[in-house]
Every structure is written in C-alpha cells, then in structure tokens.
Amino acid sequence: MADKEATVYIIDVGKSMGQKNNDRQHSDLDWAMLYVWDKITSTVALDRKTATLGVIGLNTVGTSNELAEEESFANISVFQEIRQCLLPDLKRLHGLLKPSKTNGGDAISALVIAIQMIIKYCKKLKYRRKIVLVTNGRGALDADDVSEITTKIKEDNMELVILGVDFDDPEYGFKEEDKDPQKAENEAIFKSLTDDCDGVFGTLAQAIDELGIPRLKTTRPVHSYKGELTLGSKEQYPETVVSIDVERYPRTAIRRPATASQFVQRTESGNGTASAQSSATVLPDTDALEGGANPNTLASVRSSRIYHVDDETQPGGKKEVDREDLAKGYEYGRTAVHINESDEGITKLETQGALEILGFIPWDKYDRYMSMSVTNVIIAQKTNSKAIIALSSVIHALIELESYAIARLVPKDGKNPVLLLLAPSVEVDYECLLDVQIPFAEDVRSYKFPPLDRVVTVSGKALKEHRNLPRDELTSAMDDYVDSLDLSTFGKDDEGNPAEYMQMTDTFSPVLHRIDQAVRWRAVHPNEPIPPPYDILTKFSKIPAPLEEGSKPQLANLVSAANVKKVPPKLRGRKRNRDPAAPLSGLDVSALLATSRPTKSISPENPIPEFRQLLDATESPSGIHDAATQFSKIIEKHITESFGDSMYGRVLEEVRVLREEMVDVEEVGVWNKWVRGLKEGLLGGRLGGGREELWWRIRREGLGLVAKCESGVSEVTDEEAKKFLASK
C-alpha cells in the first residue's frame, strides 16, 4: 500500500503576481502555475484516495479561513480543503487562481493556516505532510511568530518548500539585478525559515526547468512465488533433498502508457430526453456523477457481442443464440472436437506450486536469444537466517563454477509450469538469483538464411567475391563511420572526463511520458494547444550535433564506397497520356494472351483489379468518370450490406484505391466530390445506421480531401482538408 499524503499549496495571487518581469511572455502567476499545475495534476493522475491536497490563495480580495476574525489573517482564502482532488476540482481551481487587486496578505499567516489544516486532517495518523509556498515575495511579512512555526513544523514532521519568482539562488546561478529592498528582506526571512525547518528554498526558474525530467513511479513489490526452492526429489530422495525458503519478485517490468476509455456524446432525442447512439451498450456514467461532472455530456460505453448460427429457416439465414448455449470445441483438422465442461479437466495439467532446480549449464553454453520474458529476482525468506545462508551458498557456488541453474516453476497449484534460467547476482547490500523464462522445445523457431560472408552457387562452390558481397573498401568505410558515431565516450562525467552519453538512468520512454504530459495539460487547459514534448524526451531521438558534424567525412567516404545514388522521384501524371512500358523482347505478352476486349463494367466480387484495368483501358475523361462512378457505387453497396464492421477492412482498401487512382490520373475533383457525399452518408444514416466507426477509421487512415500540396490540380486548401477530417 502506498504512503498517505497530505500536501497544502499556498499560491500568491496578489496584484504584483499579474505583472510580467525579466522579459517573460507570461505573468509571474501564469509562470508559477506551470509548476503548480504540474504537481497537482500528477497527484490527480495517481487516482488514490490517500493522495490528498489542499489549496490556499494568498493576497485574495476576500477572506475565507477559520481565523478570518483576526486581522493578521485577512486576504487569505482556502480555495480547497485537504481531500482527494478530481477533475472538476481542477476546473474550479483554474477559475479561482487569477491575479487579484491587492497585496495585503501575509505569507507567514498563510503558513499558520496550512499547518492548522494539516493537523486537523491528519490528526495523529501516519501521513507524508508537506507545505508548498509559491510567491514573488513582494508583500509585507510579520515574522514575529517564525520560531513557533519552525517548532511546530518539526514536531509534526512536515516538509516545507518555498519557491520564489526571481529569488536569488547561487547554487542554480541566478541573481536578480536591482532587487526591491522589501523583496530582498522577505527572501532572507524565507531562507532562514527553511534552513531552520530543514526544508527546501529555491528559485522558481530551477523548479520549472526540472519539470521536464520524468518522475519515475515507485511501486511496492508483490511476490509472484513464495515457497521452497528444491534441489533433488522429495518423493525419491527425501533425506538428501535440498530445500530453501525463497520469495520471487519482479526485477524489470514493462510500464504501459495510459489507455483511453470509450465514450459517446449524448444527444437530445425528439421527446426531449437525452440519448446516445453507438455500436456499444451505453452504461450509467457513475464516475462522472461522483466527480460532479455534467451527466448529460458524455456516457461511458461497453462493447456487446451477438452470436449467430446458420439457419435457413430464419430471416436472413441466421439465428441469434445466447452465449450460454455455445459449447467449447478444439480444432482438429477441419472439424471441432467438443469436450464437456465436466470433462474439461482432462485438458489441464494437474500441478502443484514448486520451484525445482533441474540441472546446470555453463555460462558460455547459454544463448542470449533464449530469454523470453522480463526479469525476476529470487531472494531468501527475509526472516529466515538459515535460508539466507543456504541460498548464499548456492549463489557463490554458481559464480565459482561459472554456471547457470535451470529450474521448473509452478507459481500456484494448477498453474502451467515454465522453465527458468537462474543467474547468480551479488550486490553490495544483498545477494540474489535473477531468473528469466526460457523456451520449451516447441517454443523454438529455427530458420535458415543464406550466409552473409559468402555466396554459395548451385554446384555448392562458395564465392568470397561477388556483386552481392561487400568489398573490403566498403567494409572499411562502414567501420570508420560506425566508430565516428561512438556514444560510449561522447558524454562527460561530473569531473569532465569522457563517459557514456546515453546512460540507462537518463533514457526515458518518449511515448509514455508524452501521453502523460498531454493528458495532464489538457485536464487544466482544455482549449489551449498542447506544448511540445520536453527536450529530455527527444534528446536521444537524433544524433548529437557535434558527433554528426564530425562524422561527415566518414559518411562521404561511405557514400562513395557504396556508390549510393539518389532515386528519382516517382512521376505522378495522367495515365492516359503516358506511354506504356515497352517489353525488352518487343512482344506485348498481355496483348497476345488477351482473348477479348476489356469489359466496361466492374463486378462487386472483384472490384479493385477490374477498376484498375478499366482505367488502363480508357483515355477519355468521361471514361475515367464512368469507372470512378461504378467503383464508388460498389463501395457504397458494400457499406450498406456490411453486417456491423465485417466488411470495413475491404471498404477501407477500396476507398484507398479510389483515392490513389484519382490522384494518379489528376481527377481529384471526382474524389473530393464523392468523399464529401460519403461523409454525409455515413454520419447522416443514408448508408445505414451506426456507421460512425467507419468514418472514424477513414479519418485515422487520412483518406480525406486531396489538397493542393498533394495534387496541383486540386482546388482544396490545406486548411480545408484538415478541417474536413477534424470535423465529425
């Protein structure tokens, strides 16, 4: 279980925070909110009821706090009490955190209110307690009770973080010139307070610069096996078997990015009640209702499945059946073998949970490609000293013999067994076995490929020199180019010595953190464009500029040795005006084999080849229009006859072919006119109800209007083409 958290953010919204300083494009408050929103949205993304936060506004026009009767606590408002923050709370706070028209609040008094809020909420329970103050330090401070605040923060084990707009920070290398004396005095008070509380004092610029560094998610380990590691057979040799109590935990695991859920837009039906049309079943949006969102905007959906069997006596030749009436069968040749539920146990292997060492293999006999899974760690039972000593002896024995152990693992009774490779690992503070799954005989796929260093002729002779083999000059040029891009010594360590450039600890998943960044930004700024990804996410997506510049001579030598030539661009023009490629033999085989004139109609059974044949056979614009009309009608017919999405794949391919061919013959006007009608037919119901998913797939494939950038004869602008695909 994760630790309980209670954080209170004190945000200065005074009049001075609405000013722009030091040539920034944002006001001090907007700039500070980049940090605050990042921290708050990260807490919201955890979706834990124990991750709570509160928000206090400093220098507000009004006063709203429990100590409002005292004059020193004026112009301080509690925007949110400590609780779990949800999306509706973010939207509400976004409207409250705006610059006010006063600077009359006292930051020290705001700290007192924050301390009181944490004490009232956390009581004596175990919480990670934290107070974050963000201010520009331009208001007046009453520092008489600072010592009492320090004592209370230490007693309750709270963490105090004070970040200031343009605060001086010698360690970060920032110093504000011509600083206001009042602000300088306030900075000194804040610095002394954080030092006495063992807190954090810094400039906001550093905090914002570090926002791009992804925060790694810490997870508590959950064991996947807890039992005995045995060497020997308990049944046959109970007296000599070696048994060690061990636990197995994940060492590495793939972290998946956040996934999107499906929703539908509610619409008003004719009788004035809300309804939603979708190919999925609409469910009550309980999550939205609990969060205070408008229940009439979106509805969550769940996919439903209908089963049919062939029945000529039923309308349409199919009969709907319930899932309970279906029976499981195993494919056997072209038939299915049915096994009753009562007999289904015979297909399952009866196993008991165990981890058994089957044998050993030398290090140099194991092929790395045999590893099939993520890595797990096996340690001795934490409170069992006998097991710790026994497992340590096994680990050191494997190291001395330079061997791995092969083990059979059954995590729980009834689970399928897997084979594991156990590798010894000795760290500074612990010893363990690292395991990875290895294949059974049936899991291995063997393929034969031609050798890369020689060419074998039909007679069996091996040639070392051939046009398909690299010459020594090319091999040497490639070696030089690879060496010029060496990253192992391109980086610098803290002392300026050569070091690895792309270290594992600095390499983050761009997809995972980019999605996280986009979701958190959109939660707070629903109508603003999403900012570009952080530099640290794209740093390793391209060759470092100095390295790329230094490798140009080697690249030029490689291009020369490989005789690389630029491929001319593919010509796109009117097919009917292009001369057909002449066969080398001078004989037109297609004409010799043709038994009749090409047909002028397209059949629905084989539309794509016949459509292309018809285009090749015509030279007039009217013939092209006729072929496109026939083909488009067949596409619409397939859409109308599609049962659900059964023919969507075929329709998408036909739509793609029609678009490509119209671009190729420079008749994009035909395509643009038809695709506009297709959109209206799919969304308006002319081609059958519930075809919105097909239009979504067409949008995803980018099969929209042809713009001028794609074809010079088009009259559609790039903006019109984007708007056409963006609209629903």
Side-chain angles (χ1 to χ4, degrees), residues 564-576:
V564 177
K565 297 180 180 179
K566 186 177 181 179
V567 178
K570 181 180 178 181
L571 299 177
R572 306 186 67 90
R574 295 179 180 268
K575 287 185 176 180
R576 56 180 182 271

Side-chain angles (χ1 to χ4, degrees), residues 327-395:
K328 290 185 178 180
Y330 290 85
E331 194 173 329
Y332 185 69
R334 293 192 174 184
T335 61
V337 177
H338 170 57
I339 297 180
N340 296 325
E341 292 185 5
S342 59
D343 297 333
E344 195 171 347
I346 64 176
T347 63
K348 296 182 179 179
L349 186 65
E350 295 183 1
T351 57
Q352 295 181 347
L355 178 57
E356 304 167 333
I357 295 179
L358 305 179
F360 303 91
I361 180 175
W363 289 352
D364 56 354
K365 298 297 183 182
Y366 177 73
D367 297 320
R368 296 289 297 272
Y369 62 81
M370 289 294 182
S371 301
M372 293 177 58
S373 69
V374 297
T375 310
N376 293 273
V377 58
I378 297 176
I379 61 174
Q381 198 175 64
K382 299 176 182 178
T383 57
N384 191 335
S385 58
K386 182 178 179 181
I388 294 174
I389 296 175
L391 184 63
S392 176
S393 64
V394 173
I395 293 171

